[in-house]
Amino acid sequence: LEPSSLKAEDGLYSDKKLKELSHASPSARKFARELGVEIKEVKGSGRKSRILHSDIREYVKKHLSTDSEKDKSFGAFPTLPEIDYSRFGKVERIELTKIQRLTGQKLHRSWITAPHVFQMDEADITELERFRRTKLEETSSKKIKLTLLAFIVNAIANSLQKFPRFNSSLNSDLKSITQKNYVNIGIAVNTEKGLLVPVIKEADKKGILEIAENIQEFAEKARMNKITPSDLEGGNFTISNLGGVSGTYFTPVINAPEVAILGISPSKMSPVWLDGSFVPRLILPITLSYDHRVIDGVAGAQFTAYFTKILGDIRQALL
């Protein structure tokens, strides 16, 4: 409805309301409706501020560009409110390190794009731990620290060969995956500057002692701040080990573009029903987080069942 077609004397429109109406032709209004644009939000550049088709196109282009920039920024969705915490007491501002900022961006992107599923299970590592302890003196003489993590890496390498879909990445077209024929396993390491994930290359071709040496080397590098970019490249699967800290279970965020990550919690002695009676067994809680776009629930359960079976009897890896 054009302002020129309105009659002030009919009492329906005041002079103020006439001025508030957007000055645009019927075709421009139709064009705006087709694009979902509120015509009154557009600033006209024509004669007497008439809104032209070009004004509507520029309005849409400007807003698409603004939305695109927001989507690219970490934390743009959702935004955090600005709060003056000093109103409640003394505060101190501490800047995140570069590693912490980059890790936060990567994990935030993974959390909001990948539908996470968490498969929890338990492994009976009583016999494995007994065997490990019998080898401590021998490995110590070789200056090798034989930890449970070395056995876990070995078992994961074997499991990835058994279930190769866990050793893949979803491609950017979201229609296909890239399955890797190499097994590189990342180990999450906490440092003063933030979380780093050095990668044990070709873990499937290494024995447990060699894996233990690699873990020991990365731990030393982390302490001395000497982990290099090449140490962090090429990972297919990540292990996050909180076994030496505390807790029961936790749900780690997938280290994209990987499709799965394993969380290790502290082991504990628990009563287990065996041969007609309860016996004390050393139980290791685990959580497998995986991308539901690539891996379904049955595969997740099969993976943890196979992995815990190997830890229960490491000889299973030889079959």
Side-chain angles (χ1 to χ4, degrees):
L1 191 61
E2 292 299 310
S4 59
S5 66
L6 300 173
K7 297 180 180 179
E9 61 268 21
D10 60 13
L12 295 176
Y13 294 91
S14 65
D15 290 341
K16 181 179 179 182
K17 287 185 177 179
L18 283 170
K19 292 178 180 179
E20 289 177 350
L21 288 173
S22 300
H23 194 32
S25 66
S27 63
R29 293 177 183 278
K30 180 181 178 182
F31 183 51
R33 286 196 301 270
E34 290 174 348
L35 296 179
V37 173
E38 188 68 42
I39 193 72
K40 65 181 180 181
E41 300 292 335
V42 181
K43 184 177 181 180
S45 63
R47 185 171 176 269
K48 294 184 178 180
S49 299
R50 176 181 285 270
I51 298 172
L52 308 177
H53 284 67
S54 58
D55 297 325
I56 298 170
R57 281 193 290 268
E58 283 300 314
Y59 177 87
V60 172
K61 182 178 178 181
K62 178 183 176 181
H63 280 264
L64 285 176
S65 176
T66 302
D67 291 343
S68 177
E69 288 301 316
K70 286 181 180 179
D71 289 342
K72 291 178 183 177
S73 63
F74 166 63
F77 178 78
T79 57
L80 296 174
E82 288 291 337
I83 301 175
D84 181 10
Y85 297 104
S86 62
R87 293 187 298 117
F88 311 112
K90 187 176 180 181
V91 298
E92 179 183 2
R93 181 181 177 87
I94 301 174
E95 297 293 332
L96 296 176
T97 65
K98 183 178 180 181
I99 291 176
Q100 289 172 329
R101 294 196 303 271
L102 292 175
T103 300
Q105 291 177 18
K106 187 174 182 180
L107 294 178
H108 179 258
R109 182 169 59 247
S110 176
W111 181 254
I112 64 176
T113 58
H116 284 57
V117 178
F118 307 104
Q119 174 69 28
M120 299 179 181
D121 210 332
E122 294 180 335
D124 186 337
I125 59 170
T126 309
E127 303 304 327
L128 175 60
E129 181 62 11
R130 185 177 291 124
F131 172 76
R132 187 186 72 85
R133 290 185 178 279
T134 63
K135 296 295 180 181
L136 289 180
E137 185 176 345
E138 178 184 338
T139 55
S140 179
S141 65
K142 298 178 182 179
K143 296 183 179 180
I144 299 175
K145 189 176 181 180
L146 185 60
T147 64
L148 176 62
L149 184 57
F151 291 91
I152 291 172
V153 172
N154 180 269
I156 283 294
N158 189 279
S159 300
L160 291 176
Q161 291 176 298
K162 179 75 172 179
F163 300 94
R165 200 171 185 86
F166 288 81
N167 199 39
S168 68
S169 290
L170 182 65
N171 294 324
S172 58
D173 61 7
L174 304 181
K175 297 178 181 179
S176 60
I177 62 173
T178 296
Q179 192 162 289
K180 293 108 176 195
N181 295 324
Y182 53 90
V183 178
N184 295 345
I185 300 176
I187 306 295
V189 177
N190 188 41
T191 70
E192 291 183 357
K193 292 187 176 182
L195 188 67
L196 296 176
V197 185
V199 178
I200 299 176
K201 307 295 196 304
E202 298 186 318
D204 57 320
K205 299 179 180 179
K206 296 179 178 179
I208 291 174
L209 293 184
E210 189 175 359
I211 291 173
E213 287 182 297
N214 288 168
I215 295 172
Q216 194 170 327
E217 178 186 351
F218 285 140
E220 185 64 24
K221 280 187 172 184
R223 280 194 296 269
M224 301 180 68
N225 195 27
K226 290 185 177 181
I227 290 181
T228 64
S230 62
D231 292 331
L232 308 173
E233 295 175 342
N236 303 357
F237 186 102
T238 297
I239 298 172
S240 180
N241 181 23
L242 296 182
V245 189
S246 182
T248 51
Y249 288 93
F250 70 103
T251 53
V253 179
I254 299 166
N255 186 22
E258 299 167 13
V259 296
I261 181 173
L262 184 73
I264 303 295
S265 297
S267 57
K268 58 183 179 180
M269 293 300 298
S270 299
V272 177
W273 184 260
L274 285 176
D275 300 326
S277 62
F278 283 104
V279 294
R281 306 291 290 182
L282 186 60
I283 302 300
L284 181 71
I286 65 167
T287 301
L288 176 72
S289 305
Y290 56 89
D291 188 337
H292 211 1
R293 296 173 298 179
V294 179
I295 301 165
D296 60 32
V298 172
Q302 289 174 335
F303 186 94
T304 57
Y306 184 78
F307 169 73
T308 55
K309 184 178 180 181
I310 292 177
L311 287 188
D313 186 353
I314 201 67
R315 292 173 298 182
Q316 295 288 339
L318 302 176
L319 297 178

